[in-house]
Amino acid sequence: MRPYVQTLSPEEVHQVHMASMELLSTVGLEVLDEVSIDYYEQAGALVDREKKMVRIPVGLVNECLAKCAPSVTLYNSDGTKAFTVGGEEVHYGTVGFANYAKDWKTDVIREATIADYEDILKLCDVLDYPEFVLPPAQPVDVPVELSDRYQAKVGFLTTKKPLIPQAYGAQEARDIIKMASLVVGGMDQLREKPNMAMLVTCTSPLVVRKDAGETVVETAKAGVPLFIESGPMTGATSPATLVSAVALANAENIAHIVLAKIVNPNVPVIYASWCRLFDMRYGNVSLGCPELALMRVANAQMGKYYKLPCGGGGVLTDANTIDAQLGWEKMLTAVVPGIGHCNMILGMGIIGQENTMSCECLMMDSEIARISQRVIRGIAVDEERLAVDLIKEVGPAATSFVSKKHTKKFYPTEQLLPRLTDRSVPAEWVKNGSKDCGMVAKELVEQYISQYQKPNLPEGIEEQLEAAITK
């Protein structure tokens, strides 16, 4: 069976739901986009224009959630299926938007550039994990006001995998959607086989920012999938209790999903969360903590309560370098949300509370994702795997199973065959150079990047994407 963990009982899930409904219907949200307010009001929400407050009745919430599909399928830019988001499926991807990059050739940490971004995208494209790409870097060598569109442009040109881009507002969202359509051959093709899901981040507590509202509206109009996530920090932008952060994030997610469904009842949506911890000792967010893993499972349970595909942060660390802390934090926040069936887990390739992008880290995270998927797959049980007859045949003797056909058949699939993990004996490890994990990862980065091949894209696509930005 596949292992499955929950951090909320069914009764507790319902309690969180009721708390969120109370927040939406009695407190409401501050909505800073007039067009979004118009949509809410037309659908029956209670609006105070002067205070920009919108209260959403439970009936409207239920009506909009009933229009949501339980799964969303994302595609590669060549039209092949990448994966389906929903059910028990779990997929791992990158996260952004780091201002710094750890140069994998020199180990120097500096401001991230387009060249750094291209390097990590090439590695993303060659590795089996990540399965999707949220732009890991915010390069400094492009104009700040155009950064979202250059992240999308370079992403579409460099990797064929599904992209989760951000947009700074209405026009920016339209530009990025146009770029995605150019890559796949038109808007009809984009809607039929989307190679992207637009990222929308919510602001806590209970705010719909102008840019977020605009992005929801424009993406919903286009019929392109939305990846909507809320990330309150316990004790800072939410009360200090974990369950309160979950309830607040749930309310904020639902408010944005309701807006999307008012605009276009058929737009695909993914319910996601970035609930995290605020560490009072450091005055800083913590991402590699056990509380994040617990909340991510609870967030996934809430998404599944509404029969929504879900996602959120994981494979995360507070460590500022490639060390043991990175290992235990990333494994914790990869495996626990995974066995909680969080469908899309984002965090690969980033260290230092999402501030620094690292190709060596991505290489290690790819191994962590493979290990996590092996845990998620669980133990398969059938007569052939039980192998009682084989055990009888060998009997209680000093005989090995190594030469048996059964071993040859099942060895490659029952065991995870690692790429980076070292299982040699100490003498052999010393003979091979006494390399630590980071050193091996760096060697593998060079090896895998050398295998990169550009996606097969339409002729003249780079000029068309640039024109969509600089028109």
Side-chain angles (χ1 to χ4, degrees), residues 95-281:
V95 73
F97 301 88
N99 293 311
Y100 297 92
K102 181 178 183 291
D103 190 314
W104 63 273
K105 297 173 184 174
T106 66
D107 291 333
V108 173
I109 294 178
R110 48 172 173 70
E111 290 184 314
T113 65
I114 286 289
D116 297 318
Y117 181 38
E118 288 176 331
D119 269 357
I120 203 164
L121 288 173
K122 291 174 183 177
L123 190 58
C124 287
D125 202 63
V126 174
L127 292 168
D128 47 0
Y129 297 98
E131 297 169 85
F132 59 92
V133 177
L134 191 154
Q138 190 143 295
V140 297
D141 50 348
V142 295
V144 173
E145 68 275 10
L146 299 176
S147 183
D148 56 343
R149 281 158 286 182
Y150 276 106
Q151 291 164 23
K153 174 195 168 184
V154 176
F156 287 132
L157 290 175
T158 312
T159 180
K160 63 180 177 295
K161 294 183 178 182
L163 205 65
I164 316 294
Q166 65 174 335
Y168 293 162
Q171 185 58 55
E172 293 87 343
R174 288 192 291 268
D175 291 345
I176 290 168
I177 290 166
K178 181 179 180 180
M179 284 192 274
S181 72
L182 290 169
V183 168
V184 299
M187 281 304 302
D188 289 342
Q189 290 87 340
L190 179 60
R191 293 187 191 98
E192 182 183 352
K193 293 185 175 182
N195 65 331
M196 64 162 282
M198 187 71 80
L199 174 68
V200 175
T201 59
C202 309
T203 295
S204 302
L206 300 172
V207 176
V208 177
R209 298 186 317 277
K210 179 175 172 58
D211 65 291
E214 289 179 349
T215 301
V216 169
V217 169
E218 292 301 324
T219 308
K221 283 181 182 177
V224 174
L226 280 156
F227 186 96
I228 297 172
E229 66 173 30
S230 175
M233 293 181 284
T234 58
T237 56
S238 84
T241 52
L242 305 190
V243 71
S244 182
V246 172
L248 179 60
N250 188 52
E252 293 162 350
N253 274 348
I254 288 173
H256 288 73
I257 291 170
V258 166
L259 176 60
K261 287 296 177 175
I262 291 169
V263 176
N264 180 356
N266 297 316
V267 65
V269 294
I270 299 167
Y271 170 110
S273 179
W274 216 265
C275 285
R276 50 213 158 148
L277 188 74
F278 187 75
D279 191 314
M280 302 294 178
R281 297 171 305 165

Side-chain angles (χ1 to χ4, degrees), residues 291-330:
E291 293 84 3
L292 181 137
L294 291 168
M295 287 189 286
R296 198 62 65 249
V297 174
N299 299 138
Q301 286 183 257
M302 296 312 302
K304 293 178 189 304
Y305 178 78
Y306 304 115
K307 297 181 172 59
L308 293 169
C310 60
V315 205
L316 293 165
T317 185
D318 301 324
N320 289 298
T321 189
I322 310 295
D323 62 5
Q325 178 185 339
L326 177 145
W328 74 62
E329 289 181 343
K330 280 184 170 277

Side-chain angles (χ1 to χ4, degrees), residues 1-184:
M1 66 172 286
R2 288 164 61 97
Y4 180 44
V5 64
Q6 296 177 313
T7 55
L8 300 174
S9 70
E11 294 76 20
E12 290 166 342
V13 167
H14 183 69
Q15 278 185 276
V16 171
H17 162 74
M18 293 302 293
S20 299
M21 293 305 101
E22 182 176 351
L23 290 172
L24 290 173
S25 61
T26 63
V27 179
L29 294 93
E30 182 182 22
V31 180
L32 303 178
D33 174 45
E34 289 293 334
V35 173
S36 297
I37 292 176
D38 291 341
Y39 275 110
Y40 279 123
E41 188 170 43
Q42 291 162 15
L46 305 175
V47 171
D48 182 332
R49 290 271 177 179
E50 185 178 345
K51 295 181 178 178
K52 298 185 182 297
M53 292 298 295
V54 173
R55 288 182 288 147
I56 306 175
V58 175
L60 179 56
V61 170
N62 292 337
E63 178 186 335
C64 291
L65 290 177
K67 297 172 183 174
C68 294
S71 65
V72 175
T73 300
L74 297 178
Y75 293 81
N76 299 312
S77 61
D78 60 7
T80 58
K81 178 182 174 181
F83 54 86
T84 295
V85 190
E88 296 182 359
E89 290 200 24
V90 178
H91 306 280
Y92 291 92
T94 57
V95 73
F97 301 88
N99 293 311
Y100 297 92
K102 181 178 183 291
D103 190 314
W104 63 273
K105 297 173 184 174
T106 66
D107 291 333
V108 173
I109 294 178
R110 48 172 173 70
E111 290 184 314
T113 65
I114 286 289
D116 297 318
Y117 181 38
E118 288 176 331
D119 269 357
I120 203 164
L121 288 173
K122 291 174 183 177
L123 190 58
C124 287
D125 202 63
V126 174
L127 292 168
D128 47 0
Y129 297 98
E131 297 169 85
F132 59 92
V133 177
L134 191 154
Q138 190 143 295
V140 297
D141 50 348
V142 295
V144 173
E145 68 275 10
L146 299 176
S147 183
D148 56 343
R149 281 158 286 182
Y150 276 106
Q151 291 164 23
K153 174 195 168 184
V154 176
F156 287 132
L157 290 175
T158 312
T159 180
K160 63 180 177 295
K161 294 183 178 182
L163 205 65
I164 316 294
Q166 65 174 335
Y168 293 162
Q171 185 58 55
E172 293 87 343
R174 288 192 291 268
D175 291 345
I176 290 168
I177 290 166
K178 181 179 180 180
M179 284 192 274
S181 72
L182 290 169
V183 168
V184 299

Side-chain angles (χ1 to χ4, degrees), residues 199-441:
L199 174 68
V200 175
T201 59
C202 309
T203 295
S204 302
L206 300 172
V207 176
V208 177
R209 298 186 317 277
K210 179 175 172 58
D211 65 291
E214 289 179 349
T215 301
V216 169
V217 169
E218 292 301 324
T219 308
K221 283 181 182 177
V224 174
L226 280 156
F227 186 96
I228 297 172
E229 66 173 30
S230 175
M233 293 181 284
T234 58
T237 56
S238 84
T241 52
L242 305 190
V243 71
S244 182
V246 172
L248 179 60
N250 188 52
E252 293 162 350
N253 274 348
I254 288 173
H256 288 73
I257 291 170
V258 166
L259 176 60
K261 287 296 177 175
I262 291 169
V263 176
N264 180 356
N266 297 316
V267 65
V269 294
I270 299 167
Y271 170 110
S273 179
W274 216 265
C275 285
R276 50 213 158 148
L277 188 74
F278 187 75
D279 191 314
M280 302 294 178
R281 297 171 305 165
Y282 290 89
N284 197 10
V285 65
S286 175
L287 300 174
C289 54
E291 293 84 3
L292 181 137
L294 291 168
M295 287 189 286
R296 198 62 65 249
V297 174
N299 299 138
Q301 286 183 257
M302 296 312 302
K304 293 178 189 304
Y305 178 78
Y306 304 115
K307 297 181 172 59
L308 293 169
C310 60
V315 205
L316 293 165
T317 185
D318 301 324
N320 289 298
T321 189
I322 310 295
D323 62 5
Q325 178 185 339
L326 177 145
W328 74 62
E329 289 181 343
K330 280 184 170 277
M331 185 64 78
L332 168 71
T333 59
V335 171
V336 175
I339 57 176
H341 297 170
C342 182
N343 301 134
M344 291 177 73
I345 301 175
L346 304 83
M348 297 177 66
I350 297 284
I351 62 176
Q353 297 121 349
E354 297 181 54
N355 287 306
T356 307
M357 180 190 77
S358 166
C359 285
E360 303 103 294
C361 174
L362 180 66
M363 196 75 233
M364 296 173 67
D365 290 345
S366 188
E367 184 88 329
I368 289 170
R370 295 177 73 241
I371 293 167
S372 300
Q373 289 287 23
R374 181 61 193 92
V375 173
I376 293 163
R377 184 155 56 93
I379 297 176
V381 179
D382 56 35
E383 291 300 320
E384 189 177 16
R385 283 178 171 80
L386 282 169
V388 173
D389 290 341
L390 179 60
I391 296 170
K392 288 178 179 178
E393 176 191 323
V394 172
T399 304
S400 172
F401 289 88
V402 171
S403 62
K404 300 300 180 182
K405 290 181 179 179
H406 185 276
T407 301
K408 184 178 181 181
K409 178 178 179 179
F410 285 104
Y411 166 74
T413 55
E414 289 285 300
Q415 295 188 26
L416 174 71
L417 305 178
R419 294 176 183 152
L420 194 153
T421 304
D422 179 70
R423 293 175 176 172
S424 62
V425 297
E428 185 179 355
W429 176 73
V430 171
K431 182 181 177 182
N432 290 333
S434 306
K435 297 173 185 176
D436 64 25
C437 195
M439 295 163 68
V440 177

